[in-house]
Amino acid sequence: MANAKTDFQPHSWSRYLYRFHRRRALESNPKQMALSQVVSLIGTVLSGYLFELNKDHLVGFVGAILVMPGVFDLTSSLGAAMSAKLNHTLEFSSDSAWKNYWRAVGFSLKEIIAAGILVALVGGGLAALVFGTSAWQVVWLTFGALSLTAVVGLPIIGYLTIKVRQRSINPDDVIGPIQSSLFEIFSILAIVLIVVSTT
Amino acid sequence: MKFWHRESVRRRSSFWLSSLVAGLASCISLVGGLSLELVADRLLPVIPLLIATPSLNNMVGDYAAIIAAHIGDPSDRERTRRDLMKLLSRVVLVNIFGLLMLSLLLAHSRGYIANTIFITKFAVFVVGVFAFMLLAMFAISIWLDRIVVKRQLDPDELLIPVVTSITDVAVLSLVAGGAIILF
């Protein structure tokens, strides 16, 4: 019989994301919150710098800038939800941490791919409608960037969640700013890589 | 056998619903991306603003979480609001100062020469975006919280995704507008 406490349940991602952020916001003191904001700020400014460094490539591919916020948003929110769910599961699960890790990463990858199809189609449609560019080119760019970012980012965040937990630190306090910066950086790099390889 | 079949169907529909909600929330962010793409030729030369854009986009999620976490506790509203003000004031100050310094320094390293008038306009613009972001989030969170309580809905499903998506689009549109009007 399925064990509700140990199985990696396909609950709504936003429930875990909400509780993850709510717990961080309510239990962190102002100094801790300010420190996590500094980490997040440095990471996101770095992603802005990467954006600036590669703007000539991006401006040549109509739709690349359009899809960027969608790619950031989806990978970052599902990455945070995965970390929160994994942390929660590890508290109750009788399975090994690494078994739960692969289950969590696999499940979140499937979620990103499923949600990514929708985001890619909408992005491609918008680009074709407004700019008259090829919808399929933008669809492939979006889906490719989401998949690449997820394949690289999710295992790293899952790994960090387990390692931080093993050092008796609550991952909810540490992973948040790291994951948002990492996914922003990976998203930009993935988009640039796909744009450069197709032009 | 029936139990396993029902359980399997429930999990599949929960997975697809969850993915649909996540996808729709991200699709709303695409509208913000559209406004940036429309003004790309005006935005890209303004290097400090370009560098600051992902940070401004990212902060929306962080502030939505802080505000949503504190807004809905009716049993202790005064303490909750005091805690919220204390948290936000430090966080906002750190972010404004840090963002201005880092964007201008990195832009300078890329050969961008910012005069006093530009730095003043940029600083006022960033402060304005932060003020707008916070006001919009408060207003949307309070409004949504009332609806959620009235209809006995689960805030876990609604508050952060909706507040983040709406404010995300608004902030990116502000950045696009700023690129045309101010710089």
Side-chain angles (χ1 to χ4, degrees), chain B residues 9-174:
Chain B
V9 165
R10 186 194 69 79
R11 284 185 184 208
R12 274 203 303 274
S13 57
S14 176
F15 167 80
W16 287 112
L17 181 64
S18 177
S19 302
L20 179 68
V21 171
L24 284 172
S26 299
C27 286
I28 295 172
S29 300
L30 291 176
V31 177
L34 178 64
S35 61
L36 291 181
E37 182 92 48
L38 283 168
V39 302
D41 55 341
R42 298 290 293 269
L43 175 64
L44 297 182
V46 189
I47 297 177
L49 185 57
L50 191 63
I51 292 173
T53 301
S55 292
L56 291 170
N57 188 28
N58 186 261
M59 278 171 209
V60 168
D62 286 346
Y63 290 159
I66 296 171
I67 290 169
H70 285 80
I71 210 110
D73 184 5
S75 62
D76 200 3
R77 282 205 190 280
E78 207 177 292
R79 190 187 69 88
T80 306
R81 278 183 196 154
R82 222 176 29 239
D83 288 346
L84 182 59
M85 288 303 130
K86 214 166 141 182
L87 254 178
L88 275 179
S89 56
R90 284 197 197 199
V91 165
V92 167
L93 278 170
V94 165
N95 278 332
I96 290 177
F97 183 71
L99 185 59
L100 285 172
M101 292 302 302
L102 287 173
S103 323
L104 288 168
L105 277 169
L106 287 171
H108 182 72
S109 75
R110 292 287 291 156
Y112 188 84
I113 300 170
N115 57 28
T116 318
I117 296 172
F118 174 85
I119 292 171
T120 311
K121 273 201 274 186
F122 185 56
V124 168
F125 179 73
V126 166
V127 170
V129 168
F130 270 85
F132 169 80
M133 207 194 296
L134 291 171
L135 281 168
M137 282 186 189
F138 265 111
I140 297 168
S141 295
I142 291 169
W143 170 68
L144 257 185
D145 190 53
R146 283 193 189 143
I147 295 174
V148 158
V149 162
K150 204 172 169 180
R151 291 177 193 235
Q152 293 175 321
L153 296 171
D154 187 354
D156 290 0
E157 304 293 329
L158 283 174
L159 229 57
I160 286 185
V162 174
V163 171
T164 308
S165 300
I166 296 173
T167 323
D168 222 358
V169 172
V171 165
L172 289 178
S173 304
L174 261 182

